[in-house]
Amino acid sequence: MIQQNQISRGKVIIQIIATALVLIAAVLPFANNIIGHFVDTKSIVFDNISGVRSLDLDSVLFFLSMPLTIVFLVIGGLFKAHKFSFYTVLVSCYFQFSFLIRFILLDKNEILLIVEIAVFVIFFIITFCIYKLEKHYRSIIIIDKFTNTTLDRFSSILYKHNQIDEKD
Amino acid sequence: MKKISHIEKLKILVALTDKLWEDFESGYLLEKDYIFKYHQVNKEINNGFIGTISDLDKFADEMGYLILRSPIKAYNCRAEKIIINKN
């Protein structure tokens, strides 16, 4: 009993940690904006880099956050993070997308509005479809388990009948 | 009239069949009764006419069972514990 309790508690702790990692993954793409709010990251420039001519801390943070986000998402998926944390990732992806579009089409106002509405609609549809599919999937799993257990039960009843018939 | 979600309804109905099996195993139910009641629950799971909680309670009452709900607090989500009792 005590051991089982410990196992379940360990499971809960692992789930909480996985959920926290997924939530961090949702925030990480905005790390450069958040840190830039407190520290002037654009003034810190790295010189003499082989890849690019010059690189400031803002873009360094942005590039570093990409692989970290993917790693955290994978860990969260492996250790079964709470399912609503993945929806926060979708919402953060939406904001990221709209920020990037604003960044690219900075001064073309008419296109900007149409594109933003389109991005919102697309992300809304994606989130809605994922929610519906997930619900459907869960109900299928429940019915699957149910049919399996009833097969077991009915086969045991039939087995009993067979034994009675053989005795007669 | 409080509506009930599809998944919650399925869970309760599956728990009802579990309870039916438990009673059949321990000898409270005859085999004939068990198979009849099981078929009714199975029909409900496949078709799904029940829409509200009171309908579900009525359905369980016809089977001779009572559904008790008590909200409990879990670590990271609010869950409802479901107990099914024989009348």
Side-chain angles (χ1 to χ4, degrees), chain B residues 41-86:
Chain B
V41 179
N42 192 26
K43 242 195 279 175
E44 200 50 60
I45 285 174
N46 286 330
N47 292 327
F49 291 117
I50 291 171
T52 59
I53 287 175
S54 61
D55 277 349
L56 192 68
D57 283 341
K58 223 181 273 173
F59 179 75
D61 200 46
E62 280 171 18
M63 296 273 138
Y65 288 87
L66 187 71
I67 299 168
L68 301 174
R69 290 184 194 78
S70 61
I72 56 163
K73 264 190 185 159
Y75 281 100
N76 48 4
C77 60
R78 212 183 118 265
E80 256 189 6
K81 197 181 178 186
I82 297 156
I83 308 161
I84 295 174
N85 268 3
K86 196 167 165 54

Side-chain angles (χ1 to χ4, degrees), chain A residues 7-163:
Chain A
I7 288 168
S8 67
R9 200 177 299 158
K11 257 187 184 173
V12 167
I13 289 167
I14 285 171
Q15 203 197 13
I16 288 171
I17 290 168
T19 312
L21 280 181
V22 173
L23 288 177
I24 289 169
V27 181
L28 258 187
F30 304 109
N32 58 336
N33 298 20
I34 295 165
I35 295 172
H37 205 74
F38 299 110
V39 190
D40 191 17
T41 45
K42 278 182 183 162
S43 63
I44 305 168
V45 180
F46 297 91
D47 293 325
N48 305 322
I49 303 165
S50 54
V52 223
R53 244 171 284 156
S54 67
L55 201 64
D56 52 357
L57 192 62
D58 193 63
S59 10
V60 166
L61 281 171
F62 184 71
F63 291 137
L64 279 182
S65 71
M66 286 290 142
L68 273 179
T69 312
I70 296 167
V71 167
F72 284 166
L73 275 180
V74 168
I75 291 170
L78 269 178
F79 293 102
K80 297 203 169 49
H82 197 271
K83 59 179 186 261
F84 286 114
S85 57
F86 290 107
Y87 290 109
T88 60
V89 171
L90 270 177
V91 171
S92 108
C93 266
Y94 161 68
F95 279 115
Q96 209 184 325
F97 221 82
S98 68
F99 278 145
L100 280 176
I101 280 165
R102 213 171 288 175
F103 191 67
I104 294 162
L105 308 167
L106 207 55
D107 45 353
K108 296 160 191 163
N109 279 322
E110 297 144 45
I111 307 168
L112 187 68
L113 192 68
I114 298 164
V115 168
E116 270 198 30
I117 291 168
V119 166
F120 179 76
V121 168
I122 288 168
F123 267 84
F124 187 77
I125 290 169
I126 288 172
T127 316
F128 186 72
C129 285
I130 288 174
Y131 179 69
K132 279 275 161 193
L133 258 179
E134 197 248 328
K135 259 189 147 181
H136 183 65
Y137 180 66
R138 265 202 297 163
S139 69
I140 281 176
I141 284 177
I142 290 170
I143 288 176
D144 199 42
K145 262 188 195 168
F146 169 69
T147 44
N148 269 337
T149 49
T150 45
L151 264 180
D152 277 355
R153 285 162 189 177
F154 275 52
S155 71
S156 74
I157 288 174
L158 281 177
Y159 183 69
K160 257 187 230 164
H161 273 277
N162 254 355
Q163 275 187 331

